[in-house]
Amino acid sequence: MDDELILLNPGPACTSRRVKDAMLRGDLCHREPEFGELLAGLRADLPRALELDGHEALLVTGSGTAAMEMAVISSVREGRSILVVDNGVYGDRLLKIARANGITAHAVRPEAPDGDELTRWTTPIDPEAVRAALAAHPDVDAVAVVHHETTTGMINPIREIGAVVAESDAVLVIDAISGTGNEDQSLGEVGADIVCGTANKGLHGLPGVAFILCSDKGIERIQDVPARSLYLNAASYLKGQRDGNVPFTPAVQVCYSLDEALREYFEAGGFQARTKLYRERAALVRSGFERLGLEILVRPGARSNSVTMLHLPDAVPYDRLHDRLKERGYVIYAGQGALSSRFFRICTMGEIPWHRLERLEEALGESIHP
Ligand SMILES: Cc1ncc(COP(=O)(O)O)c(C=O)c1O
């Protein structure tokens, strides 16, 4: 095996030497003008990286969930509610965030016989169900949906949902965290008002910094919402970051690394090139899964390009498969919740040398049939 362990989990993802070395640019006080320049560069680069020119970026030190929580609590006005698409762990998390913060939340879920979780988690939401839920709850102020449900590697139809939401006054909040830079999101055409992203998945930065990208309507909304949290109040980040600073001590070195990751991203051809790479990776590893007889859970047409959920082969417990693959240089990822005993995930996010993906089939074969 090559020296480096390849992470095939959905973040934190492997990073390049340049990105890791950027951590060593030095110590910097975030009240100095140099940090203001770094922040201004990131705020300009992030919308451009996701082809969302015109959106304004707010960075927060924290994991992706910090961006989700900031988006949810900053998008619903007093006395109004949020409609959440719930067809996976992260949709469920959006709901939990709203409720934990005292915001009335309605869930819209795919139809599933007897509430079967597997069906619910592998069925993209029908935009007509969103339309019906909006009609049933006229007080909805924001609609939140996860684009790429990392739970199963399933894509929700955000463009169609965007068209439905555009017929109302609600703002559209998209959790684009596991698709940031790597999935074909066309966010510019979706009408997304608040987009949540993170440094360490498709952008190949390090974990510790997340962000929201806001349209003009999104900016208006966050200024019109009561402060429900001290740390995650988007309006105070907006005020501070427009003046070149941040309200709390930022993860300066992680910001350096994100800056370097974005340089690499643009040098390599930006969004179009990164999403093409992920499509090619998906095609490569999935042809190997097919030869090995490994069945993919999500139907074609609803699959992401970065996460593949596979049925565990008969008589191969997950832990054994995990350990055998780790000996061969690959870290795979378990299924979540009810899916953990029957399925596993292989994620092709981050800096992964192509030849290591080519060798994955052999390593998997040896691990399944020793
Ligand atoms: C779709 C999605 N949303 C949110 C998150 C939460 O991110 P974090 O674990 O960085 O808080 C994840 C993490 O994998 C995710 O995949």
Side-chain angles (χ1 to χ4, degrees):
M1 104 183 187
D2 290 10
D3 290 333
E4 222 160 308
L5 202 53
I6 298 297
L7 301 184
L8 299 177
N9 50 283
C14 287
T15 52
S16 70
R17 172 55 52 198
R18 265 175 68 179
V19 166
K20 285 188 263 284
D21 284 351
M23 297 270 283
L24 304 176
R25 279 189 205 169
D27 298 321
L28 174 64
C29 171
H30 61 295
R31 302 289 174 220
E32 292 300 309
E34 291 84 350
F35 184 77
E37 281 163 31
L38 174 66
L39 182 64
L42 293 172
R43 276 171 37 82
D45 284 347
L46 285 168
R48 192 159 65 91
L50 296 191
E51 300 196 327
L52 270 176
D53 295 314
H55 276 53
E56 184 165 353
L58 301 180
L59 280 85
V60 56
T61 287
S63 78
T65 305
M68 292 168 89
E69 188 140 4
M70 180 184 264
V72 167
I73 67 173
S74 307
S75 62
V76 184
R77 287 169 291 187
E78 198 75 78
R80 308 287 295 270
S81 67
I82 188 166
L83 179 68
V84 176
V85 171
D86 175 14
N87 53 359
V89 165
Y90 297 100
D92 183 55
R93 186 171 298 179
L94 288 166
L95 264 183
K96 286 187 174 133
I97 288 171
R99 290 178 178 153
N101 284 282
I103 298 170
T104 304
H106 315 284
V108 55
R109 303 185 170 103
E111 282 187 27
D114 306 321
D116 173 52
E117 204 160 68
L118 193 55
T119 307
R120 191 150 61 76
W121 282 3
T122 51
T123 309
I125 197 71
D126 178 353
E128 288 310 312
V130 176
R131 189 192 302 280
L134 270 172
H137 302 290
D139 67 335
V140 166
D141 219 16
V143 176
V145 56
V146 178
H147 175 233
H148 170 209
E149 253 302 353
T150 327
T151 319
T152 53
M154 178 191 66
I155 295 289
N156 271 312
I158 49 171
R159 190 191 294 249
E160 293 77 4
I161 294 169
V164 169
V165 175
E167 293 166 14
S168 75
D169 291 334
V171 293
L172 177 60
V173 175
I174 305 232
D175 171 348
I177 287 172
S178 62
T180 318
N182 49 299
E183 296 296 336
D184 300 313
Q185 292 173 314
S186 304
L187 289 166
E189 294 158 34
V190 168
D193 295 305
I194 304 185
V195 174
C196 311
T198 181
N200 79 299
K201 295 192 197 281
L203 293 179
H204 303 188
L206 288 163
V209 170
F211 54 88
I212 60 172
L213 306 180
C214 306
S215 68
D216 290 345
K217 187 173 166 187
I219 293 285
E220 264 174 49
R221 177 57 57 84
I222 64 182
Q223 290 174 312
D224 214 10
V225 160
R228 295 187 166 97
S229 154
L230 182 71
Y231 190 71
L232 293 173
N233 178 24
S236 60
Y237 282 77
L238 179 68
K239 192 169 172 302
Q241 295 192 9
R242 281 185 171 173
D243 290 338
N245 56 53
V246 284
F248 308 101
T249 308
V252 175
Q253 282 71 15
V254 179
C255 291
Y256 279 148
S257 294
L258 176 57
D259 180 51
E260 197 63 36
L262 286 165
R263 280 183 205 188
E264 285 189 338
Y265 179 87
F266 290 122
E267 281 167 19
F271 181 77
Q272 298 302 333
R274 181 64 54 90
T275 48
K276 178 169 174 281
L277 172 68
Y278 274 68
R279 282 195 296 278
E280 289 168 356
R281 286 178 174 180
L284 172 71
V285 297
R286 285 174 189 168
S287 64
F289 301 153
E290 199 178 318
R291 282 188 289 276
L292 290 168
L294 289 169
E295 208 187 317
I296 300 177
L297 178 62
V298 173
R299 67 165 167 78
R303 292 177 189 165
S304 77
N305 290 318
S306 47
V307 173
T308 309
M309 184 113 194
L310 296 155
H311 291 251
L312 269 170
D314 288 342
V316 182
Y318 172 76
D319 289 346
R320 205 167 74 202
L321 182 62
H322 171 274
D323 293 352
R324 284 183 180 156
L325 273 165
K326 195 166 177 184
E327 284 163 17
R328 289 165 176 78
Y330 300 93
V331 173
I332 58 167
Y333 211 54
Q336 278 159 301
L339 308 186
S340 59
S341 58
R342 292 158 57 205
F343 303 93
F344 69 105
R345 283 176 288 178
I346 292 201
C347 315
T348 43
M349 278 178 193
E351 284 297 313
I352 310 177
W354 188 256
H355 72 276
R356 298 296 302 275
L357 288 178
E358 284 176 330
R359 286 191 209 148
L360 176 63
E361 180 180 349
E362 190 186 342
L364 255 175
E366 288 169 3
S367 305
I368 292 167
H369 311 290

